[in-house]
Amino acid sequence: MSATSSASTLAPRPPTSTTSESQSLFGEEVESVSVENPQQQGTKRRTTSDVWNHFKKKNIDGKVKAQCNYCGRLMAGASTSGTTHLKLHISKSCPSAPREASPPREVTDIRKQVLVKQHNRTRSKGISSPSVFNEEDQKASRRDLARMVILHEYPLAIVDHVGFRDFVGGLWPNFKIVGRNTLKRDIKKIYNEKKQKTMLEIDKNASKVAITTDLWTANNSKRSFMVITAHYINGSWTLESRVIRFIRMPSPHDKYSLSKILLECLSDWNIDLKLSAITVDNASNNDGMMKLVSDKLQASSLILGGKLLHVRCAAHILNLVVQEGLNVIGDGIEKVQSSVYFWTQSPKRVEIFEKISHQSHIASTKELVLDCRTRWNSTYLMLSTALIYKDVFSRLLCCEPQYQSAPTNRNWEVAQIVCEKLGYFHKVTELLSGTAYPTANHYFPSVFRLKIELNQWLSSEDELVKKMATKMLAKFDKYWSDIHDIMSLAIVLDSRYKLMLLTFYFNKMYGSKANEEIDKVKNLLFELFAEYDIENIDRAVIFSQASSSTFTSSAAHEHDDTMRDYDLFVSNATTNIGQRSRDIISEFELYASEKVSPRTEQFDVLGWWKQNGSKYPTLERIARDILAIPMTTVASELAFSTSGRLLSPHRSRLHHDTLEALMCGQSWLWSELKGVHATIQTVLDDYEENEVEESHAMELSD
């Protein structure tokens, strides 16, 4: 039997009165002294160290020596000499000892020490040793695990993955990885905690809350969900967005079902009394839903009695406008569409297309993309890419007999016209659909520019362009009034523009009627002033009623003319209302008369109001509510991209309660991390551009 497989067999220890133990550098028991009588400590010791599997003790010239079993070398073997030199001999010096016989080396794990220190700092548990891992640490680590799954959309089954379990075990062996059901309970616990915190935050916030909502149906499971997102500006003048419901929506998706769920959500979250607006798309069931919701809410709690409550998504309106134009020129681009379809249908055709493109010395590497009929910008992108390869399509007629639908010169002319005319529309769509959706003041210049563009198309020499413009303008005017008010108010509240930009664009759009339209916006603003200055209104009414009562008492006796009471009441009321109107006009005129702010890309409208709002107290409150109203449903639609990943074909059985906990929890957790982490990353955010550089940097650091 080899030395590595043999084990030292120790006889049971006899009863002892005193036991003395010493520790080696390896942390193991080296020698133990068992003594029958404390007075006999100089008697025979028991050799218990593993090193004696490789040495024999010999008495030479009255001295205890240790003889190596492999090379026969004699070394000091007395108990007072220790065993460290013997272990070093076996592990390094002995030429005959097998390497596997070497005692194991204990390597200091610096990484684990660093992790333990970080663990102690973050939790502030006062842990002094890496070996200490108590029940509180287990709970905290479970919470970290659930939080990680929520933030980064990891599957619940990650706790069953062998690689993950090995990784966690290597980092922290004492942590007991939980199962999927326990992980799900931990996720829901975080959801409930953060829900209460978010509810309290919204309830305590002084400003009104705007809502966006939309419907989504999962392709793989055909289950429908309704997402409701709240938007508001907090006390630090930061625009906040929170997903407050992601609820399963069984059929039918009619106005009654939608309004019931929305009203229940508003009531549960105590938003129904501080609601500013609801932004929805242009579906017919949403129109019916908004009518029912408006009738159920208290008009006195809404801005201007609900005049601004229903906001139509500007991105959807733009889509409807452009679709009208594309319907006009549909036949003109049909051959381009069919050609793109033909050359993207098989890998072999794509290969032929790329080969001919290379032979034609086309520098672009863009791939052909087929459009989606319900998304006009995809049609624009398809045409703009196809135009790059205009000459390639004609050459392909010689390469593929089945290809019969090459576009004519007129087809390419129409495609060129469409791309030129819709280029600016595409830029605006990107603005409206941006993931970091802007405050309401950003939309006015872009939308007005679109209106001016369409007006200019009417004077085009090309009949097709004029026909497009006529159709598109009709659709634009139909929906313009639905978004006009909030956009106009928001731009007046932007200190870079105030009334200047309004006047500039209204003169272009309305001509001689521009002043009339500007006055409408001013009057709307003055209505808001009167409503937001409610404390002054209440004081004015109380003062008027008190004056009226006092005069009635005296006049009735002295003159017996009750109409004099009315005359004085009117006089007092008019005086107070007139004074209040002067205060309103005074504050607005002060704001409007001051020099506009520089128009720079770094300008922050919310930061400006944070610094200057105290000069315009009523305008400040109006700005805080109006600027928070989203002009699109993009914020709610973003949730669908996340839910699409969560409800993938491999996870289609995820319960809707769990899905809501994941969706809302992710929104709430990332809102807490905003400012700490510059970007929000998901498990799909893998980039390769810097992979080589990062790998090289890691090699250098190692």
Side-chain angles (χ1 to χ4, degrees):
M1 183 177 295
S2 66
T4 56
S5 60
S6 63
S8 57
T9 305
L10 302 177
R13 297 183 180 180
T16 62
S17 57
T18 304
T19 300
S20 173
E21 297 179 350
S22 61
Q23 299 294 324
S24 75
L25 294 176
F26 301 94
E28 63 197 42
E29 184 182 87
V30 177
E31 290 185 298
S32 175
V33 180
S34 179
V35 185
E36 296 282 351
N37 188 334
Q39 304 296 328
Q40 299 176 344
Q41 290 189 15
T43 60
K44 184 178 179 181
R45 293 172 178 258
R46 297 181 60 84
T47 55
T48 58
S49 174
D50 288 342
V51 77
W52 295 108
N53 292 329
H54 311 289
F55 287 89
K56 293 180 181 178
K57 283 192 176 185
K58 290 192 175 184
N59 193 331
I60 299 176
D61 297 331
K63 295 182 179 180
V64 178
K65 297 289 185 179
Q67 185 177 35
C68 178
N69 293 342
Y70 308 107
C71 66
R73 180 178 174 180
L74 295 174
M75 305 179 71
S79 59
T80 56
S81 302
T83 58
T84 301
H85 64 295
L86 302 179
K87 292 180 179 181
L88 290 173
H89 173 76
I90 292 298
S91 62
K92 294 185 176 181
S93 305
C94 182
S96 304
R99 292 302 96 187
E100 61 269 18
S102 304
R105 287 184 64 198
E106 182 175 1
V107 181
T108 303
D109 193 341
I110 301 298
R111 182 178 61 179
K112 181 175 287 189
Q113 290 181 3
V114 172
L115 289 173
V116 169
K117 289 180 180 178
Q118 292 176 345
H119 169 82
N120 296 343
R121 281 198 302 269
T122 16
R123 304 242 171 92
S124 300
K125 297 295 183 182
I127 300 175
S128 58
S129 169
S131 62
V132 177
F133 190 82
N134 55 34
E135 184 179 351
E136 291 300 317
D137 297 315
Q138 173 72 18
K139 291 180 181 178
S141 295
R142 278 176 50 182
R143 182 180 179 84
D144 289 343
L145 174 60
R147 185 171 172 272
M148 177 191 75
V149 171
I150 296 172
L151 282 172
H152 301 291
E153 303 166 17
Y154 295 130
L156 301 184
I158 192 174
V159 293
D160 297 328
H161 296 174
V162 174
F164 177 75
R165 297 179 74 92
D166 290 344
F167 173 72
V168 173
L171 288 176
W172 202 256
N174 293 332
F175 174 58
K176 299 176 183 178
I177 299 181
V178 298
R180 273 180 285 183
N181 289 332
T182 303
L183 174 61
K184 192 184 301 182
R185 289 194 294 271
D186 291 343
I187 288 172
K188 290 184 177 179
K189 183 178 180 181
I190 292 177
Y191 163 78
N192 290 326
E193 290 175 359
K194 298 303 178 184
K195 180 179 180 180
Q196 294 302 318
K197 180 180 178 181
T198 306
M199 278 183 155
L200 185 62
E201 178 183 334
I202 293 177
D203 190 56
K204 286 187 174 181
N205 194 59
S207 67
K208 289 186 176 292
V209 179
I211 294 292
T212 56
T213 182
D214 208 348
L215 279 176
W216 172 75
T217 300
N219 291 329
N220 52 77
S221 65
K222 302 305 177 186
R223 285 187 287 168
S224 296
F225 296 85
M226 182 179 185
V227 63
I228 303 174
T229 311
H231 313 268
Y232 58 95
I233 294 173
N234 64 21
S236 301
W237 281 91
T238 301
L239 183 62
E240 302 285 359
S241 176
R242 303 284 189 275
V243 176
I244 58 175
R245 286 306 309 265
F246 194 89
I247 188 169
R248 175 85 165 86
M249 267 297 296
S251 296
H253 303 155
D254 55 26
K255 60 183 179 181
Y256 302 104
S257 302
L258 296 174
S259 61
K260 181 175 181 294
I261 290 179
L262 181 56
L263 286 168
E264 287 177 353
C265 176
L266 296 177
S267 177
D268 291 343
W269 282 74
N270 199 27
I271 296 175
D272 53 325
L273 297 179
K274 56 188 306 184
L275 182 65
S276 61
I278 302 175
T279 304
V280 293
D281 64 25
N282 295 294
S284 58
N285 55 351
N286 281 336
D287 290 342
M289 175 193 72
M290 288 304 303
K291 180 66 170 63
L292 292 174
V293 169
S294 179
D295 292 342
K296 293 287 185 179
L297 294 173
Q298 295 182 24
S300 59
S301 67
L302 301 173
I303 297 178
L304 300 180
K307 186 185 292 187
L308 304 180
L309 180 64
H310 186 182
V311 180
R312 296 183 183 274
C313 175
H316 288 159
I317 290 177
L318 182 59
N319 184 57
L320 293 175
V321 170
V322 181
Q323 288 291 352
E324 285 291 309
L326 292 179
N327 290 337
V328 172
I329 52 104
D331 295 339
I333 62 173
E334 185 177 357
K335 283 195 173 183
V336 178
Q337 288 173 318
S338 60
S339 293
V340 172
Y341 177 82
F342 182 89
W343 289 108
T344 56
Q345 285 309 292
S346 70
K348 182 64 176 177
R349 291 178 182 176
V350 171
E351 184 179 335
I352 294 173
F353 187 89
E354 291 176 348
K355 178 182 177 181
I356 300 301
S357 299
H358 181 72
Q359 292 175 353
S360 301
H361 305 290
I362 304 295
S364 176
T365 57
K366 286 185 177 181
E367 296 181 358
L368 294 176
V369 289
L370 193 63
D371 66 331
C372 172
R373 296 301 178 94
T374 59
R375 293 173 54 221
W376 76 267
N377 56 318
S378 67
T379 302
Y380 166 79
L381 293 173
M382 178 198 70
L383 294 176
S384 61
T385 305
L387 281 166
I388 298 173
Y389 301 102
K390 174 182 174 182
D391 297 334
V392 176
F393 285 99
S394 58
R395 292 189 63 184
L396 288 168
L397 286 170
C398 306
C399 303
E400 178 57 61
Q402 296 183 17
Y403 178 49
Q404 303 289 334
S405 58
T408 64
N409 289 335
R410 177 55 182 167
N411 295 147
W412 289 120
E413 287 178 8
V414 173
Q416 187 69 43
I417 290 171
V418 171
C419 285
E420 289 177 355
K421 297 300 181 183
L422 298 186
Y424 187 75
F425 280 76
H426 177 65
K427 291 180 181 179
V428 176
T429 299
E430 288 183 329
L431 168 66
L432 297 178
S433 305
T435 54
Y437 67 96
T439 45
N441 58 302
H442 283 75
Y443 299 102
F444 181 92
S446 299
V447 173
F448 262 91
R449 183 61 186 166
L450 292 180
K451 172 73 170 178
I452 293 171
E453 285 279 333
L454 291 176
N455 286 336
Q456 292 175 350
W457 292 7
L458 289 175
S459 58
S460 173
E461 296 180 358
D462 192 307
E463 290 298 324
L464 183 62
V465 174
K466 292 171 67 174
K467 193 174 181 181
M468 283 178 59
T470 302
K471 288 284 189 179
M472 294 170 73
L473 276 170
K475 184 68 71 172
F476 186 96
D477 292 337
K478 176 181 178 181
Y479 290 109
W480 167 241
S481 60
D482 294 324
I483 58 176
H484 171 282
D485 291 341
I486 294 177
M487 282 189 180
S488 298
L489 289 171
I491 206 64
V492 172
L493 295 168
D494 188 328
S495 65
R496 293 171 298 174
Y497 306 118
K498 301 182 181 179
L499 288 173
M500 300 289 286
L501 190 67
L502 204 68
T503 304
F504 175 76
Y505 276 126
F506 277 18
N507 283 331
K508 290 178 176 291
M509 180 179 293
Y510 299 110
S512 60
K513 296 183 178 180
N515 289 335
E516 181 181 339
E517 295 297 326
I518 293 173
D519 287 340
K520 289 181 181 179
V521 177
K522 285 184 178 180
N523 291 334
L524 187 64
L525 188 59
F526 291 152
E527 285 185 58
L528 285 173
F529 259 103
E531 185 170 287
Y532 275 73
D533 200 24
I534 189 66
E535 293 181 2
N536 289 341
I537 294 175
D538 290 341
R539 285 196 296 269
V541 171
I542 292 171
F543 177 80
S544 299
Q545 290 174 345
S547 301
S548 175
S549 299
T550 303
F551 182 81
T552 301
S553 177
S554 59
H557 292 287
E558 294 179 8
H559 305 285
D560 197 21
D561 185 357
T562 54
M563 291 305 293
R564 293 276 311 267
D565 298 344
Y566 172 77
D567 292 338
L568 186 57
F569 174 82
V570 171
S571 176
N572 287 333
T574 304
T575 300
N576 284 293
I577 293 173
Q579 179 61 45
R580 183 168 49 83
S581 299
R582 284 194 297 274
D583 291 341
I584 291 171
I585 296 172
S586 171
E587 182 178 330
F588 178 73
E589 285 183 346
L590 174 62
Y591 169 77
S593 63
E594 291 185 341
K595 187 178 180 180
V596 296
S597 302
R599 195 171 62 85
T600 61
E601 293 183 2
Q602 295 77 23
F603 179 80
D604 177 14
V605 66
L606 300 184
W608 188 92
W609 278 106
K610 181 180 180 180
Q611 293 180 356
N612 300 276
S614 58
K615 293 168 60 178
Y616 323 102
T618 307
L619 267 180
E620 178 190 30
R621 294 175 57 206
I622 296 173
R624 193 170 166 187
D625 291 343
I626 295 297
L627 292 175
I629 298 176
M631 301 307 300
T632 72
T633 58
V634 168
S636 290
E637 291 172 356
L638 282 176
F640 299 146
S641 62
T642 300
S643 56
R645 296 191 294 269
L646 291 176
L647 274 180
S648 65
H650 303 290
R651 308 177 68 192
S652 57
R653 296 177 63 186
L654 199 62
H655 194 272
H656 56 83
D657 285 343
T658 304
L659 180 60
E660 180 168 21
L662 290 169
M663 291 296 305
C664 296
Q666 185 187 62
S667 172
W668 302 335
L669 287 175
W670 275 120
S671 68
E672 292 179 349
L673 293 174
K674 187 169 58 177
V676 179
H677 296 262
T679 57
I680 295 179
Q681 293 180 329
T682 69
V683 71
L684 301 181
D685 290 336
D686 285 334
Y687 300 101
E688 298 181 354
E689 297 95 296
N690 300 322
E691 193 171 84
V692 176
E693 291 83 350
E694 290 177 359
S695 176
H696 181 61
M698 291 182 67
E699 290 175 2
L700 292 177
S701 64
D702 292 341

